[in-house]
Amino acid sequence: YGSEKVQRRKQTIRTIWGDMFWQLGVYEKFSQLDKEARIPSLEDVRQALEGGPVLILLDELPTYFEVAASDGLLDKAVLFLQRLVIAVSEKEDAALLVAIAEDVYKNEAERARRAISEAVTEAMEETRAHSRRKETVLVPVAEEDVVYILKRRLFENIPHRSASTIADAYH
C-alpha cells in the first residue's frame, strides 16, 4: 500500500480501504477514494458491506500501520479502521477479525514492537479502543496445554520408561 502499491489483476491499489473494496467487489464504485487516498465516509463503508454475510480479516495490522506512517497515511488509516469497526458492529451478519500473533511469536513481536514508531503504537491503541466494545478475545490454546499438543503432534507414542529416564537425566 502507499508508495509501494498493490496490484490486483491490472488494477493498482493504493490504500487498505481500496483493497477491501476490491476484495468486496465494489472497487469501481469507490475507486476515486483509493486513487486520491481519501478516507471513505462511514456511509461509504456501510454501503461497501451491504449484501450477504461479510468476514473481514486484517492480518499483521502493526506492519500495515508502519507502512502507512512512512507514507503519511497513518491518520487516514486509523480513521478508516474506526469507521470499519463501527460499520461492522452495526451489521448483524458481519465480523471483523484482527489477527496479531504476538503471544505465539513473542521474540519477533517484541522486535516489531520496538521497530514501530510511537505514533504507530498510538494508532493501534486508538483503533483498539473503538473495537473493544464489540471484541471477543479468543485464545485457542492455553499455555499449560501446549506440551500435550506438541507431544501428540511430534510423537506417535512415548514409552513411559524412556520418558522417565530422559526426564530424570535432564533434571
Side-chain angles (χ1 to χ4, degrees), residues 118-134:
E118 189 174 302
V120 173
T121 302
E122 288 175 24
M124 279 296 295
E125 283 306 310
E126 282 182 45
T127 302
R128 288 209 35 124
H130 286 275
S131 66
R132 279 190 189 110
R133 294 180 302 164
K134 290 279 195 170

Side-chain angles (χ1 to χ4, degrees), residues 85-164:
V85 167
I86 292 167
V88 167
S89 71
E90 294 173 348
K91 185 170 170 49
E92 196 155 312
D93 58 352
L96 174 63
L97 177 63
V98 180
I100 304 172
E102 64 183 320
D103 290 333
V104 177
Y105 304 105
K106 286 189 179 193
N107 293 337
E108 290 82 354
E110 188 58 39
R111 270 182 273 173
R113 202 175 292 116
R114 284 192 304 262
I116 295 171
S117 70
E118 189 174 302
V120 173
T121 302
E122 288 175 24
M124 279 296 295
E125 283 306 310
E126 282 182 45
T127 302
R128 288 209 35 124
H130 286 275
S131 66
R132 279 190 189 110
R133 294 180 302 164
K134 290 279 195 170
E135 86 178 354
T136 301
V137 177
L138 301 175
V139 179
V141 177
E143 189 172 332
E144 59 271 9
D145 295 333
V146 171
V147 70
Y148 300 106
I149 292 169
L150 289 175
K151 183 172 91 172
R152 185 170 178 203
R153 289 191 179 166
L154 294 176
F155 304 102
E156 288 181 17
N157 94 37
I158 300 174
H160 181 71
R161 181 180 210 111
S162 298
S164 294

Side-chain angles (χ1 to χ4, degrees), residues 1 43 48-49 55-56 115 129 145 149 158 167 170:
Y1 303 111
E43 187 55 35
L49 298 178
L55 171 63
I56 299 169
D145 295 333
I149 292 169
I158 300 174
Y170 180 76

